[in-house]
Amino acid sequence: MAANHFTDLREKLKSMTPHRDNYKKVSHHRDGGSEKRKYQDSGDEVCEYEELRESEARKVKGGITQVCVFTPEECTRIEEKIDEVVANGNEGLYKEHTVDRAPLRNKYFFGEGYTYGAQLEKRGPGQERLYSKGEVDEIPGWVYELVINRLVAQGVIAEGFVNSAVINDYQPGGCIVSHVDPKHIFERPIVSVSFFSDSALCFGCKFQFKPIRVSEPVLYLPVRRGSVTMLSGYAADDITHCIRPQDIKKRRAVIILRKTRPNAPRLEANSMSSSANSLTERRRMLKAKRSHRKADPNAAHRPRILEMDKEQQRRSLLSRQQSHGDGGLENSWRTAEAASHYTPPHRVPTHRRVKMRRH
């Protein structure tokens, strides 16, 4: 990506209008030895900011194509096949790198798979690598029959374009963080087909975690069940896209169809085994911590409790206790005092010798 390109709109805004957050701009002028201040209202900067956002949104829209191809009946048939893929993955019928699991989101790579995110030994854009040939399962026949051939017949994509198909299966509250599909691995356009429910694709967002928060998007794009969305140009290369947790209200699956570049870098056989071993070791270490946790699909749709809210709740509880008077506190003291003098019946005191150990 060129040095003057930005994946986060706020970086571009900061470079263009570094003082836009100031309410007033002060400039000093000297007139006959006396210094005068002229205050300029920030309204002009706000207008400039809004114009920049609208210009950015227009560029994004210019790289998006959406068409509705699949009927509800066709969607139902494809969704049954997606359920079969999920069942096969749960039974361990696929190769190791075909299935990639994450909280509330599972990926299934077919044809071509690649390393990304925490799987990378050296992180950052441009570090993604394709797996060696044969490390993931081939594209299922039903994907060609029910999806790819249908798009070729409709003139949406060219015949022979697709050699990579990824199925993302989202549970309610699932998400995928802001990213750009690796330009050194995949050609354009990026084609995705949505199933099970309606959702949205957002551009130019920034994620924060613990708790998870997402900034306002530059463009909010509704995505309907059975629709095809294609990204190219500015929308695919010069701005990030994501799926926010609040936009997955029901289960949703998307089939992403792409073509890998002939010169896309691949993992070496030895480096692939070492990275796979390190990833397996990381998962083994985390398994004991995560095995007792169960994701709550409704958590993303509940209002999040911040620390300030917890403090306010504690103060409210304390004020309610004080409003009831000393009666409640007195009862609690009496209960604690009675518990301190309580002796279990038929309990014989035992004497035990303790051996002192020098440290």
Side-chain angles (χ1 to χ4, degrees):
M1 186 170 61
N4 59 346
H5 287 176
F6 298 84
T7 57
D8 187 353
L9 177 62
R10 296 186 297 181
E11 296 177 7
K12 178 181 286 187
L13 295 176
K14 186 175 181 181
S15 66
M16 297 182 64
T17 56
H19 305 295
R20 67 182 180 84
D21 292 331
N22 296 337
Y23 288 98
K24 294 183 178 180
K25 186 176 181 180
V26 181
S27 59
H28 300 278
H29 298 274
R30 294 189 176 274
D31 184 13
S34 62
E35 186 177 287
K36 296 182 179 180
R37 293 183 178 180
K38 294 184 178 180
Y39 296 90
Q40 180 179 355
D41 189 81
S42 61
D44 294 340
E45 295 177 357
V46 173
C47 292
E48 183 180 358
Y49 171 71
E50 294 299 332
E51 290 176 0
L52 182 59
R53 285 183 64 89
E54 292 178 2
S55 174
E56 196 87 354
R58 286 194 296 268
K59 291 179 183 178
V60 177
K61 289 180 181 179
I64 298 174
T65 303
Q66 275 191 316
V67 291
C68 188
V69 175
F70 298 94
T71 65
E73 292 76 18
E74 291 172 327
C75 288
T76 300
R77 187 178 178 188
I78 294 171
E79 289 161 1
E80 292 174 353
K81 294 295 183 180
I82 294 175
D83 286 335
E84 292 180 7
V85 169
V86 174
N88 292 339
N90 292 336
E91 294 176 7
L93 302 181
Y94 292 129
K95 297 179 180 180
E96 177 184 358
H97 298 297
T98 296
V99 183
D100 177 37
R101 302 187 185 278
L104 302 180
R105 191 270 298 149
N106 290 337
K107 275 180 176 288
Y108 303 88
F109 292 97
F110 296 105
E112 294 282 6
Y114 68 100
T115 61
Y116 67 98
Q119 301 171 353
L120 301 175
E121 292 184 359
K122 184 178 179 181
R123 300 194 185 187
Q127 300 300 322
E128 298 88 353
R129 296 290 184 270
L130 288 172
Y131 287 120
S132 298
K133 284 287 189 180
E135 289 297 321
V136 301
D137 289 80
E138 294 298 324
I139 299 177
W142 67 265
V143 176
Y144 282 107
E145 178 186 354
L146 301 180
V147 182
I148 297 176
N149 293 344
R150 186 86 158 81
L151 297 182
V152 171
Q154 291 286 328
V156 177
I157 58 176
E159 187 173 1
F161 174 78
V162 178
N163 69 345
S164 170
V166 180
I167 299 176
N168 285 346
D169 186 20
Y170 298 92
Q171 298 302 318
C175 68
I176 187 166
V177 298
S178 298
H179 68 281
V180 173
D181 289 40
K183 292 185 285 186
H184 63 290
I185 290 183
F186 297 110
E187 295 185 359
R188 272 41 177 164
I190 307 298
V191 183
S192 61
V193 192
S194 297
F195 298 101
F196 286 108
S197 66
D198 298 341
S199 182
L201 193 62
C202 291
F203 294 83
C205 292
K206 185 175 180 63
F207 275 66
Q208 294 181 350
F209 301 92
K210 295 183 181 180
I212 187 169
R213 302 180 301 282
V214 187
S215 65
E216 286 297 318
V218 173
L219 179 68
Y220 174 91
L221 181 70
V223 178
R224 308 299 181 190
R225 178 189 181 216
S227 67
V228 181
T229 303
M230 292 180 289
L231 305 182
S232 60
Y234 195 93
D237 298 337
D238 299 307
I239 191 170
T240 60
H241 60 273
C242 69
I243 296 177
R244 304 180 302 175
Q246 57 264 44
D247 295 327
I248 305 292
K249 298 179 175 60
K250 299 179 180 179
R251 182 192 176 189
R252 185 226 181 189
V254 58
I255 301 178
I256 304 173
L257 306 173
R258 293 177 288 204
K259 182 178 182 179
T260 58
R261 297 186 183 277
N263 58 347
R266 291 185 181 273
L267 288 175
E268 299 287 341
N270 53 357
S271 64
M272 183 185 65
S273 60
S274 62
S275 62
N277 291 336
S278 61
L279 179 60
T280 303
E281 181 65 17
R282 269 201 312 272
R283 287 177 175 172
R284 185 189 66 78
M285 294 173 62
L286 294 174
K287 186 176 182 181
K289 293 183 178 180
R290 295 185 177 181
S291 60
H292 66 282
R293 297 170 59 189
K294 186 176 181 181
D296 185 358
N298 298 319
H301 311 297
R302 297 197 191 103
R304 300 189 181 277
I305 301 178
L306 304 179
E307 289 300 324
M308 62 181 68
D309 299 328
K310 295 179 181 178
E311 180 64 24
Q312 186 177 2
Q313 290 178 1
R314 286 194 289 267
R315 292 179 180 178
S316 177
L317 179 60
L318 181 60
S319 63
R320 286 200 300 269
Q321 290 178 349
Q322 293 176 352
S323 65
H324 287 304
D326 297 334
L329 295 177
E330 184 179 356
N331 290 335
S332 62
W333 292 338
R334 288 176 179 173
T335 303
E337 185 178 0
S340 63
H341 295 292
Y342 173 74
T343 303
H346 308 295
R347 182 171 182 176
V348 180
T350 59
H351 300 281
R352 183 177 59 178
R353 297 179 63 184
V354 179
K355 183 178 181 180
M356 302 301 293
R357 184 180 303 175
R358 179 173 297 178
H359 296 280

